[in-house]
Amino acid sequence: MFEMRKKLGRLVMNGGLSEEEYKSISLEIHNSNRQNLTVFTIVSAFFLMIMTVLSCFISDIEKNRIIYLGSMVIMAAIMIISQVFGEKSRKLILICVYGFISLLFIFGIVIGTWKNPDNISTAFIALLLTVPMLFTDRPIRMIGAIIFYTAVFSFASAATKTADLAEIDIMDGCIFGAISAIVSSYMMSVKCERFIYERKAVVLSEIDVLTGLHNRNSYENSMETFPESAERTVSCVYIDVNGLHELNNSKGHEMGDRMLQFIANELKKQFGESTFRIGGDEFVAFAADMSRDETERRTGLITEASEKEGYHISVGIEVRLKEGLSMEELIRSAESEMYKVKRLYYEQNGNDRRSRR
């Protein structure tokens, strides 16, 4: 019983996900809602514009012209606000989403009650069943919106219609409101699960499973975009692990994996997320607006920590101005420095193995 309530609570609060999982896909939800908001506001505004034009020629809907026109203007405003200001503001997009939903619900209530008091309402019921499934949010908030506007619809029907028609409207509102709450919660759960699977797929395509660093695929995608994060300079650190082949042969691949994981952790500790494993024993890190002295200090800490564990690395560093920067040349220069250090290491340790090119 406790587990059932726990699952139900997670479904209502986070679409069936844990709080951490839900927060991890917040960006995907934001982008999806912003995209959907753009599409649906344009479609809705276009439909309202057509209805406004038709109201000039069809007497049955002439009385609704001001509602069509006003709703169209508000819809256009929501679209413009979400496009101009909503890219980085998740709260603003959420406000626009519920503004859009509220506008459609109010539109359905007004058309179905005050403007048509002699007929059973159909517009609000249709919107009640469809609109909540257009976006993704915590189900509890959408359920709250459904309950609130169903109550408003019920009061409006009771105030404007005969007892018989109001009874039918209220019963329809309650039944289809309950269906909408259940179906929309389920659909949000499905969407959240899809976002989780898509995120895992992205992680698997861009993260090196052994070390947890970004992999070569991510490295190649980031090469041209990273300079955008810098104002003055871009630093490149190129690291090659010495003796990985020998360690694998003498003590097994598990020990080699431990060495790679240790160095990867130290590299990420010093240079954050802009760290990559680009080959079996090769790592690259980028840094924005970091001086050569600071870059050398941090790589020195990595070297020192590695040597305490009995590991040895060869490090190449290059720092260049952002203006006119070629990332290929930056990386090539750091790689060349690394090979010089690597050759010196093997010469000093009496090993005639030559570094790869």
Side-chain angles (χ1 to χ4, degrees):
M1 188 65 178
F2 174 76
E3 286 298 321
M4 181 68 70
R5 285 187 299 182
K6 185 177 179 181
K7 288 181 179 180
L8 182 60
R10 287 177 59 171
L11 175 64
V12 172
M13 294 301 299
N14 305 316
L17 306 179
S18 67
E19 183 66 21
E20 293 74 17
E21 288 176 324
Y22 187 86
K23 288 181 178 178
S24 73
I25 59 171
S26 59
L27 179 59
E28 287 82 356
I29 292 174
H30 167 77
N31 291 336
S32 174
N33 283 341
R34 184 167 181 262
Q35 181 179 6
N36 289 347
L37 191 62
T38 301
V39 173
F40 296 133
T41 50
I42 291 174
V43 171
S44 300
F46 182 72
F47 170 78
L48 290 166
M49 181 181 69
I50 292 175
M51 295 303 296
T52 301
V53 173
L54 290 177
S55 69
C56 297
F57 304 98
I58 302 174
S59 59
D60 287 345
I61 61 173
E62 182 180 359
K63 60 185 177 181
N64 299 331
R65 186 186 306 163
I66 188 65
I67 299 174
Y68 298 146
L69 184 59
S71 298
M72 181 181 68
V73 171
I74 297 173
M75 200 72 71
I78 292 174
M79 181 191 67
I80 293 171
I81 291 171
S82 65
Q83 283 298 300
V84 176
F85 304 105
E87 183 175 1
K88 296 181 180 180
S89 176
R90 299 179 189 181
K91 288 184 179 179
L92 180 60
I93 287 297
L94 203 57
I95 292 172
C96 288
V97 164
Y98 281 99
F100 174 82
I101 292 171
S102 297
L103 178 61
L104 289 182
F105 280 162
I106 293 171
F107 174 86
I109 291 170
V110 172
I111 293 295
T113 57
W114 281 290
K115 291 296 182 178
N116 291 281
D118 300 325
N119 298 302
I120 295 173
S121 299
T122 57
F124 176 74
I125 299 301
L127 292 170
L128 188 64
L129 290 172
T130 56
V131 172
M133 290 186 286
L134 301 180
F135 303 99
T136 306
D137 188 29
R138 295 181 187 273
I140 187 66
R141 286 201 281 248
M142 194 64 72
I143 292 172
I146 292 170
I147 293 173
F148 176 77
Y149 285 107
T150 299
V152 173
F153 170 71
S154 299
F155 283 119
S157 293
T160 60
K161 297 187 177 184
T162 63
D164 290 343
L165 288 176
E167 183 179 348
I168 294 173
D169 276 355
I170 293 171
M171 182 175 63
D172 286 347
C174 292
I175 292 173
F176 290 106
I179 293 173
S180 178
I182 294 170
V183 174
S184 63
S185 295
Y186 171 75
M187 292 304 298
M188 287 183 194
S189 174
V190 171
K191 290 178 185 178
C192 288
E193 288 289 346
R194 177 170 62 84
F195 286 138
I196 287 291
Y197 290 140
E198 289 175 353
R199 188 174 185 82
K200 288 180 179 178
V202 170
V203 169
L204 289 175
S205 68
E206 295 189 349
I207 299 298
D208 177 63
V209 177
L210 176 64
T211 63
L213 299 185
H214 295 289
N215 61 18
R216 189 174 188 89
N217 181 49
S218 177
Y219 161 76
E220 292 176 350
N221 292 334
S222 300
M223 278 178 57
E224 298 305 322
T225 59
F226 184 81
E228 297 174 4
S229 64
E231 294 183 2
R232 301 182 311 278
T233 64
V234 176
S235 302
C236 177
V237 175
Y238 204 114
I239 292 179
D240 188 286
V241 181
N242 300 326
L244 176 62
H245 180 71
E246 291 83 353
L247 182 61
N248 285 335
N249 289 339
S250 63
K251 296 186 178 181
H253 286 274
E254 183 179 350
M255 295 301 295
D257 290 346
R258 289 183 183 178
M259 177 169 67
L260 293 174
Q261 290 168 343
F262 178 86
I263 293 169
N265 288 336
E266 293 299 316
L267 183 63
K268 189 172 183 178
K269 187 187 301 181
Q270 297 301 329
F271 293 97
E273 292 298 321
S274 300
T275 50
F276 308 86
R277 183 189 180 197
I278 64 170
D281 54 3
E282 294 178 319
F283 301 86
V284 169
F286 297 125
D289 302 316
M290 184 179 292
S291 67
R292 176 173 285 275
D293 288 344
E294 177 62 15
T295 306
E296 289 178 349
R297 185 188 72 81
R298 296 193 183 199
T299 55
L301 292 174
I302 298 171
T303 301
E304 182 180 344
S306 300
E307 290 179 348
K308 285 182 179 179
E309 296 294 319
Y311 307 140
H312 301 279
I313 59 175
S314 297
V315 181
I317 297 171
E318 182 63 20
V319 181
R320 294 193 179 183
L321 293 174
K322 176 185 177 180
E323 185 176 355
L325 174 68
S326 167
M327 287 295 285
E328 289 82 1
E329 292 181 3
L330 174 75
I331 296 166
R332 193 180 303 118
S333 179
E335 183 182 18
S336 177
E337 289 298 315
M338 179 276 295
Y339 278 127
K340 292 178 183 178
V341 176
K342 191 173 185 70
R343 280 195 298 270
L344 180 61
Y345 168 81
Y346 281 113
E347 288 172 2
Q348 291 177 343
N349 286 272
N351 193 326
D352 62 356
R353 177 189 173 201
R354 293 295 180 261
S355 59
R356 301 181 307 278
R357 284 202 178 270

